[in-house]
Amino acid sequence: MTLPYKKRRLDKALSQSAVHPEPAIQIEMNDGPAIPRKTDPGLYSAWKFVVIAAPCLYIYLATYDQIAALLVSAMPGLGESWGWLKKIAGPEYVNSYRDAFLFIMPDGFYVTLQVTCLGIGVSIPVGIMTGLCRVSRIRIINLIASVYVEVVRGIPLLVQLFYIYYGVASIIRINPFMAAIISIGFCYGAYIGEVVRSGIEAVDRGQREAAMSLGFTPFQAMRHVILPQAIRTILPPLGNECISMLKDSSLVSMVAIIDILRRGREYASTTFNYFESYTMVALSYLFITLILSKGVSLLETRMGRYERR
Amino acid sequence: MNAADPIIVLTDVYKFFGNFAALTNVSLSIRRGEKVVLVGPSGSGKSTLLRTINRLETIDHGAITVNGQDIYDPKANLNRLRTSMGMVFQGFNLFRHKTALENVTMAPCQVLKMDPVEADKRGLDLLHKVGIADKAGNYPAQLSGGQQQRVAIARALAMNPDIMLFDEPTSALDPEVTHEVLDVMSAWPARA
């Protein structure tokens, strides 16, 4: 079994003794939304403050004229001494915040959530496939997945959206909604692919070795030992990606899809109440992301329970 | 095969990590029923040698024969070969998402396609033999180091291996619990 090139390598190796180089220290950076963890007290109390303040502001802005009307009807003297209160409570007063909210409310919310959910539905299967291909030892598969990730991550989502909506759609007919789902799904598929890859790589190498030593095939080892453990580490960052996706779904308003932002813009351009309209748009997104980020932190705690000793 | 025939034969094995020679010219032959202990300072290649026998590491030169079959033969059925070799690791490497019993029964169910009920029975039996049947439903994180290592031994034994490879099974344990593992190891009928 002596092979000439191995013999050469052997001689070379025997003649010199090299020390293994230390791996460079890596710092994990995450661009996801801030998750309120108890280990980060500043952020945790900030989250508690915002989660109370934002909905209160939201409700107050939507109903302040009705609150004023209630006050005036309950205490008529108050309306007499404070003229402005009487004005707000009066029938001819228009609360632009509530108008904007009602304009956004039913279908804007629905479309934003629909785009997000379908985007998640596309990007998670794509992401898992990409992640598996990225850890593949078969070079060509790994290469294809890596090229996909590099290309998609190097192009802004808005450009991808335009590319599919205007570029590709000029060659084959795609309806706007499909174009939006495809571009969001495949864009986030690449990001989720990287999350899946790092999750798989984070599973201790010994787990794979133990499985192999018991006679598992590589496929069985992946399916029964590595993936079930990787999913636990993946879930919280996956939740982060979903929140990011919800925020980035506002970009689809650029391609004639009537989501929250689009409705807000329509309201603003017809009434010129830009401030009121965009305030409600911003609060709407904040409200949803706050709830979701709490959901992710709960998920993290649940998942972490089995890991700690 | 004659009982006196060697079950593991290593001839002129070399192994490199980059330019670092981990194994140089190792030859060894172990007979069925023999217990062999490798002793040496850390970094001397004991683990590497064990791992090459299981083909968790490839070798750069030489040949390894197990049960009369060259394990570096590209046609060798590696998974079948590995089922005949149980390995116990320094760091236990229990499947952390499975209970102790599931750790033991998983390989028989998946690899040998054993009936789950029968596998459970055998698994409990093995856990009983290593003295931790009462912890069958616990996750590895809920077990002490010595208990984990005993589960790992039961897991390796569940495949009915001809050969058991122990890679420093007690080095990660407190001296007080080392004897738990050593007792289990010495109580087992003599094998390689």
Side-chain angles (χ1 to χ4, degrees), chain B residues 10-69:
Chain B
L10 280 72
T11 34
D12 294 345
V13 171
Y14 284 80
K15 167 73 192 170
F16 299 102
F17 293 111
N19 284 328
F20 175 76
L23 302 175
T24 48
N25 199 9
V26 178
S27 296
L28 175 73
S29 108
I30 300 169
R31 282 190 301 282
R32 191 174 282 271
E34 228 175 350
K35 280 183 191 172
V36 176
V37 180
L38 292 172
V39 186
S42 64
S44 60
K46 307 180 295 290
S47 298
T48 310
L49 186 65
L50 279 181
R51 290 158 61 85
T52 58
I53 295 175
N54 208 346
R55 243 197 105 170
L56 288 174
E57 300 282 0
T58 55
I59 54 173
D60 296 311
H61 177 83
I64 300 178
T65 320
V66 174
N67 256 339
Q69 191 175 12

Side-chain angles (χ1 to χ4, degrees), chain B residues 75-95:
Chain B
K75 291 195 289 289
N77 185 340
L78 206 55
N79 297 313
R80 174 110 31 93
L81 252 162
R82 281 182 178 145
T83 58
S84 69
M85 283 184 276
M87 178 136 183
V88 176
F89 297 86
Q90 198 172 348
F92 323 140
N93 292 351
L94 289 178
F95 304 138

Side-chain angles (χ1 to χ4, degrees), chain A residues 1-3 6-7 9-14 16-18 20 204-218 220 224-226 228-229 232 306-309, chain B residues 14 16-21 24 51 54 56 59-63 79 82-83 85 87 89 93-98 106-107 110-111 113 141 143-145 148 155-156 159:
Chain A
M1 231 189 97
T2 315
L3 295 167
K6 289 209 165 141
K7 183 81 177 113
R9 190 170 151 200
L10 186 155
D11 292 337
K12 191 182 164 204
L14 284 174
Q16 38 178 267
S17 67
H20 289 284
D204 183 25
R205 222 162 58 103
Q207 295 287 317
R208 189 186 149 81
E209 286 177 353
M212 298 305 275
S213 79
L214 288 166
F216 282 59
T217 61
Q220 284 174 324
H224 295 288
V225 176
I226 297 168
Q229 296 187 58
R232 289 202 179 153
Y306 300 99
E307 295 295 319
R308 312 271 173 271
R309 289 189 66 163
Chain B
Y14 284 80
F16 299 102
F17 293 111
N19 284 328
F20 175 76
T24 48
R51 290 158 61 85
N54 208 346
L56 288 174
I59 54 173
D60 296 311
H61 177 83
N79 297 313
R82 281 182 178 145
T83 58
M85 283 184 276
M87 178 136 183
F89 297 86
N93 292 351
L94 289 178
F95 304 138
R96 300 176 58 173
H97 61 303
K98 296 283 183 187
M106 203 162 143
Q110 296 297 336
V111 180
K113 307 290 175 213
L143 298 173
S144 74
Q148 286 194 49
R155 179 177 70 175
M159 300 297 282

Side-chain angles (χ1 to χ4, degrees), chain A residues 173-190:
Chain A
R173 279 181 61 88
I174 309 174
N175 78 35
F177 198 72
M178 285 295 292
I181 300 299
I182 289 170
S183 45
I184 287 189
F186 278 84
C187 177
Y188 271 88

Side-chain angles (χ1 to χ4, degrees), chain A residues 184-259:
Chain A
I184 287 189
F186 278 84
C187 177
Y188 271 88
Y191 290 101
I192 289 174
E194 285 302 278
V195 169
V196 171
R197 180 189 59 83
S198 59
I200 290 172
E201 282 174 358
V203 174
D204 183 25
R205 222 162 58 103
Q207 295 287 317
R208 189 186 149 81
E209 286 177 353
M212 298 305 275
S213 79
L214 288 166
F216 282 59
T217 61
F219 177 79
Q220 284 174 324
M222 183 57 86
R223 157 94 178 66
H224 295 288
V225 176
I226 297 168
L227 269 187
Q229 296 187 58
I231 282 169
R232 289 202 179 153
T233 41
I234 288 170
L235 269 177
L238 201 61
N240 279 4
E241 291 295 331
C242 293
I243 296 173
S244 300
M245 193 189 293
L246 184 123
K247 292 190 291 177
D248 280 353
S249 76
S250 62
L251 290 174
V252 302
S253 66
M254 300 297 289
V255 293
I257 292 171
I258 319 291
D259 73 337

